DNA sequence: GCCGTTTTCGGCCCGACTGTTTTCAGTCG
């Protein structure tokens, strides 16, 4: 078995975690070096197992020691240093660090003085009121730790929640607090603003004239189960849903610097601050300022801070510390897409599909009201047992669309279909019949468990069908529920480029598919085109296009490669509508 | 442990909150 990049990264991650205990510091330079190495390995263009120690050392963030450890693991299947640390710090002991409020120092203290080596033993020690007697501890801390253990299942440090559950809560919070008259600006930040698919906690940033009333309103909300912390400018609560929410209040003039800081990622912030230092500046959550005089250089907007650091603005979705700063410096950032750039929706259902929930008439009216230039109605193909359309229904819907075209002369309405990709890449209907549609999306709705080679083959075969314009929700995942099919990404993207088949960027928060890692891989294959679609089954879902737009940004997709940002004429020509 | 347009040694992002300390350590983001 050859060691894959993600496997090596996982081991380095474990090395970092164990080193936190060994060094007695979560932020020791050695720990941070390992953490950097994790990112470096994950961002390698090729297999880590193919690289020599010397080649590994040329990678930024990997030095002699880490290169040696990686080679050792690839060659022998184990890493002596890691084995020794595992021996010294058993898994039960490491578990203790998952308790919020307990870091490496406390773990070592518990072990050395009280012989506590597991969560269970800690519980016993707390019951015996022995933890409070430790130096630096006390009754209150003991009680806090006890409470933290009780809710460990709800929100341990590493618990993450699918974005579809978190985003609506965050939006609600922003609306509620935003209504206070003290609030000048408000935004959710953190991994949610970066649009990660799972979220640890909600971070809200407020610019306000007076922080106190905002803090009061925040901790007094009905959904707050427990106040975890409460300061003048920063508070944390735990909601009924078991989600932690952090609120930070700054003055309006500090808002840009604070947004930057609170949005992260940690790696992005560290890189920006390092860049500031190199320019004789200091960057914190309040401002970018002169290191000597303290004079503020920029603080009001994020853009101003980037500019003062000689960088183009970097959208939040790209701030993961994976090369975006270098790209911003050399001007090679992809051109980011905005919701306003989208001119058509090319994956829309109506009640003609069994699972559609808005009528065709309502859907078209809602699309027209959004000011789109073109739309493809794509009901399910007949192979999707309950939800699909027979040929008779396809013909009947075509008739209904003719009527709607007369009602909405400004809107180009394409008669499409969402086809089902069969076990071996076969499709609903026959090839001749398929060419009668204006637009075909082909999607995987079954056989999720096939081997990677089989999944890749069925996708490639479908892309070779001239009727197919785009592959819908590429891997078929449901975030937090279903992992999606395994595919050979490079082979699939190459086939997409060769056959001219676009890759869908599905806007549904439950899907966010193709995933950003796959989208980003397409950077090196310039002929791949993309379509941002809502896959709406109800008129209320047409607005989801905003999520697809943000997914595209996260995947470093350049706006110019997204075909539904093109004007009607250019798009129709590319799609060969009416010429098949 | 990593790294170098002042450096192969001596740096490495920055600050709020809590609980315990009467000046700070630990944790977190």
């Amino acid at each position: 078995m050859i060691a894959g990049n993600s496997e090596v990264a996982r081991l380095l991650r474990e090395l970092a975690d164990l080193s936190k205990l060994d060094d007695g510091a979560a932020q020791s330079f050695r720990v941070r070096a390992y953490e950097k190495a994790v990112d470096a390995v994950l961002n390698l263009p090729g297999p880590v197992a193919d690289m020599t120690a010397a080649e590994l050392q040329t990678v930024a963030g990997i030095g002699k020691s880490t290169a040696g450890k990686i080679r050792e693991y690839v060659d022998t299947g184990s890493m002596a240093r890691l084995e020794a640390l595992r021996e010294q710090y058993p898994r039960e002991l490491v578990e203790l660090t998952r308790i919020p409020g307990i870091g490496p120092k406390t773990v070592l203290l518990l072990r050395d003085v009280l012989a506590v080596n597991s969560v269970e033993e800690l519980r016993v020690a707390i019951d015996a009121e022995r933890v409070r007697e430790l130096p630096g501890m006390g009754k209150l801390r003991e009680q806090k730790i006890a409470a933290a253990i009780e809710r460990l299942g709800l929100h341990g440090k590493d618990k993450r929640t699918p974005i579809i559950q978190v985003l609506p809560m965050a939006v609600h919070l922003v609306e509620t607090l935003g209504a206070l008259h003290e609030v000048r600006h408000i935004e959710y930040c953190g991994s949610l603003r970066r649009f990660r698919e799972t979220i640890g906690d909600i971070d809200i940033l407020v610019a306000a004239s007076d922080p106190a009333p905002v803090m009061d309103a925040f901790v007094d909300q009905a959904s707050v189960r427990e106040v975890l912390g409460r300061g003048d400018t920063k508070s944390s609560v735990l909601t009924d849903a078991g989600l932690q929410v952090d609120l930070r209040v700054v003055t309006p003039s500090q808002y840009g610097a604070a947004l930057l800081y609170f949005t992260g990622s940690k790696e992005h912030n560290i890189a920006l601050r390092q860049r500031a230092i190199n320019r004789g500046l200091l960057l914190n959550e309040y401002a970018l300022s002169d290191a000597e005089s303290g004079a503020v250089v920029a603080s009001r907007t994020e853009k101003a801070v980037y500019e003062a650091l000689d960088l183009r603005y970097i959208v939040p979705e790209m701030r993961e510390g994976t090369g975006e700063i270098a790209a911003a410096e050399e001007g090679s950032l992809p051109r980011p897409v905005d919701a306003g750039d989208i001119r058509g929706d090319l994956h829309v259902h109506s009640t003609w599909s069994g699972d559609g929930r808005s009528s065709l008439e309502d859907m078209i009216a809602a699309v027209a009201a959004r000011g789109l230039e073109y739309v493809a109605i794509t009901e399910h193909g007949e192979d999707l047992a309950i939800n699909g359309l027979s040929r008779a229904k396809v013909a009947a819907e075509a008739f209904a669309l003719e009527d709607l075209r007369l009602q909405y002369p400004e809107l180009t309405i394409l008669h499409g279909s969402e086809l089902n990709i069969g076990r071996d890449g076969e499709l609903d209907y026959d090839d001749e019949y398929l060419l009668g549609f204006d637009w075909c999306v082909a999607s995987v709705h079954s056989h999720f468990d096939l081997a990677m080679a089989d999944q890749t083959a069925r996708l490639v075969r479908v892309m070779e069908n001239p009727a197919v314009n785009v592959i819908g929700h590429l891997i078929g995942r449901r975030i937090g529920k279903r992992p999606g099919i395994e595919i050979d990404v490079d082979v699939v993207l190459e086939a997409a480029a060769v056959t001219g088949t676009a890759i869908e960027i599905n806007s549904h928060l439950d899907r966010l598919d193709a995933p950003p890692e796959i989208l980003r891989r397409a950077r090196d294959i310039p002929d791949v085109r993309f379509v941002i679609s809502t896959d709406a089954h109800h008129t209320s879902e047409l607005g989801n296009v905003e999520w697809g737009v943000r997914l595209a940004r996260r995947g470093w997709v350049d706006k110019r490669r997204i075909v539904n940002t093109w004007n009607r004429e250019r798009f129709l020509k590319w799609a060969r509508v009416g010429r098949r």
Side-chain angles (χ1 to χ4, degrees), chain A residues 456 459-460 463 474 487-503 514 517-530 561:
Chain A
T456 304
L459 285 180
V460 170
M463 287 191 280
L474 185 64
I487 59 171
D488 187 324
V489 173
D490 293 325
V491 170
V492 168
L493 292 176
E494 197 58 51
V498 170
T499 61
T501 312
I503 301 294
E517 311 82 62
I518 290 181
L519 296 175
R520 195 165 166 185
R521 290 272 276 282
R523 274 203 103 198
D524 300 329
I525 312 176
D527 288 341
V528 179
R529 295 285 173 268
F530 299 92
R561 296 171 66 172

Side-chain angles (χ1 to χ4, degrees), chain A residues 192-323:
Chain A
L192 193 54
R193 185 162 180 248
R194 300 200 310 277
F195 217 62
R196 278 192 63 169
E197 59 211 33
T198 61
I199 308 297
D201 54 26
I202 298 178
D203 302 305
I204 308 274
L205 176 67
V206 165
S209 43
D210 177 12
V214 185
M215 284 294 166
D216 290 341
F218 177 61
V219 298
D220 287 345
Q221 288 176 101
S223 60
V224 170
R225 177 197 300 178
E226 192 182 337
V227 178
L228 300 171
R230 165 74 198 260
D232 293 338
T233 64
K234 183 180 167 184
S235 293
S236 296
V237 300
L238 192 62
T239 68
D240 286 335
L243 212 62
Q244 184 174 325
V245 185
D246 299 337
L247 176 73
R248 185 72 179 264
V249 183
V250 298
T251 68
S253 67
Q254 297 165 333
Y255 192 62
L259 259 184
L260 208 49
Y261 154 75
F262 224 25
T263 298
S265 66
K266 194 175 93 181
E267 293 72 23
H268 184 82
N269 285 350
I270 288 174
L272 283 184
R273 287 172 175 183
Q274 187 60 58
R275 193 176 174 86
I277 289 171
N278 295 343
R279 285 166 168 68
L281 303 170
L282 172 75
L283 179 61
N284 58 26
E285 59 257 61
Y286 303 117
L288 178 70
S289 46
D290 189 280
E292 296 278 307
S293 67
V296 172
V297 176
S299 69
R300 200 167 275 277
T301 66
E302 291 183 319
K303 198 157 181 286
V305 175
Y306 282 113
E307 276 172 9
L309 292 171
D310 306 317
L311 292 171
R312 282 180 49 193
Y313 176 74
I314 300 172
V315 295
E317 295 85 354
M318 293 181 63
R319 299 180 196 165
E320 293 293 343
T322 54

Side-chain angles (χ1 to χ4, degrees), chain A residues 450-478:
Chain A
L450 301 177
M452 178 159 76
D454 293 333
Q455 300 286 22
T456 304
R458 71 200 274 231
L459 285 180
V460 170
R461 181 175 160 203
V462 162
M463 287 191 280
E464 286 166 350
N465 189 314
V468 173
N469 300 95
V470 55
I471 302 296
H473 44 73
L474 185 64
I475 67 165
R477 68 171 177 175
R478 307 301 282 267

Side-chain angles (χ1 to χ4, degrees), chain A residues 39-52:
Chain A
D39 286 333
V41 168
L42 288 175
N43 288 300
L44 286 175
V48 68
D50 291 351
M51 299 175 75
T52 65

